[in-house]
Amino acid sequence: MALHIHGAWILLFVLPALVAPAAINHEDYPADEGDQTSSNDNLIFDDYRGKGCVDDSGFVYKLGERFFPGHSNCPCVCTEDGPVCDQPECPKIHPKCTKVEHNGCCPECKEVKNFCEYHGKNYKILEEFKPSPCEWCRCEPSNEVHCVVADCAVPECVNPVYEPEQCCPVCKNGPNCFAGTTIIPAGIEVKVDDCNICHCHNGDWWKPAQCSKRECQGKQAL
């Protein structure tokens, strides 16, 4: 009888050890806080390397797809090595640009001043004007004014005059030169006094006249 009871006790001790592992359910025991955080992080922050690209907002792009990361206006292409973005050398904006747009990768000038300023006045593109009698100017498409100044020839007289709206001086009385302090016309001999007859140099009107002494009339009278 004692042996029979002892065998029953052995079965009672062995049976729970065999049954316990199969009966335990892990769902009945909450995981540690560290395990929960790790599990949740794996679900939210998946590894997309070699499979796609993620922008700042968490949106996933496929390989080969173009997208604009963050606030950039320059596009990127999703590759297996990550985003490859354009970084072009943007052209300089014209200093007289009045309207600039930033919709593209580079800023773009949409409106340039369509007139020129010269001495306080405005002129249209390709407009020609004369700010002075000797200047001829044009408003270029670059909004710059290009001028040509007339080159006047040397006047053929010693007393040239400037007429209104004319650039170069004119000899109203024709070519002449100085004989002392007297102005004599060119091309003829002029008796400037009782003893001297003068004439102008041919083509050299600025030189003093050539004079030669003749027999003075005053001496003849004596």
Side-chain angles (χ1 to χ4, degrees):
M1 184 67 180
L3 290 174
H4 180 73
I5 294 172
H6 182 72
W9 278 105
I10 292 174
L11 291 174
L12 290 175
F13 281 111
V14 173
L15 185 59
L18 296 174
V19 175
I24 295 175
N25 188 351
H26 289 285
E27 295 180 356
D28 296 337
Y29 296 90
D32 293 339
E33 184 177 352
D35 295 339
Q36 286 183 336
T37 303
S38 176
S39 177
N40 291 336
D41 288 346
N42 289 336
L43 292 176
I44 296 175
F45 301 103
D46 288 337
D47 187 0
Y48 289 98
R49 287 176 296 182
K51 297 180 292 184
C53 302
V54 184
D55 64 6
D56 296 344
S57 62
F59 192 87
V60 180
Y61 295 89
K62 299 178 182 178
L63 294 178
E65 193 172 358
R66 292 170 63 87
F67 65 99
F68 294 86
H71 300 286
S72 173
N73 289 324
C74 295
C76 298
V77 177
C78 181
T79 69
E80 293 183 355
D81 298 326
V84 176
C85 304
D86 292 338
Q87 294 181 348
E89 293 184 3
C90 297
K92 293 183 179 179
I93 299 296
H94 195 284
K96 295 184 179 180
C97 183
T98 56
K99 184 179 180 182
V100 180
E101 289 187 357
H102 299 273
N103 296 331
C105 187
C106 291
E108 184 178 357
C109 181
K110 288 297 183 181
E111 185 175 338
V112 180
K113 186 172 63 174
N114 58 352
F115 62 90
C116 301
E117 295 182 27
Y118 190 77
H119 291 177
K121 294 184 179 180
N122 295 339
Y123 300 92
K124 298 178 181 178
I125 300 296
L126 300 181
E127 182 179 357
E128 298 178 356
F129 58 96
K130 293 186 67 176
S132 70
C134 290
E135 288 181 288
W136 176 86
C137 302
R138 185 174 75 168
C139 176
E140 301 293 343
S142 61
N143 300 106
E144 297 178 351
V145 174
H146 289 175
C147 296
V148 176
V149 180
D151 186 13
C152 296
V154 177
E156 297 182 348
C157 60
V158 295
N159 57 348
V161 295
Y162 286 88
E163 295 288 349
E165 302 302 323
Q166 288 189 4
C167 173
C168 298
V170 295
C171 297
K172 296 188 69 174
N173 298 319
N176 55 38
C177 67
F178 276 114
T181 58
T182 303
I183 297 175
I184 62 174
I188 60 173
E189 291 185 342
V190 178
K191 187 176 182 180
V192 295
D193 56 31
D194 292 338
C195 301
N196 294 293
I197 296 177
C198 304
H199 69 276
C200 297
H201 292 270
N202 291 329
D204 297 335
W205 318 114
W206 59 91
K207 294 182 179 180
Q210 290 180 327
C211 298
S212 59
K213 288 188 177 183
R214 301 288 178 92
E215 189 175 339
C216 299
Q217 293 181 356
K219 291 181 178 180
Q220 290 180 353
L222 291 175

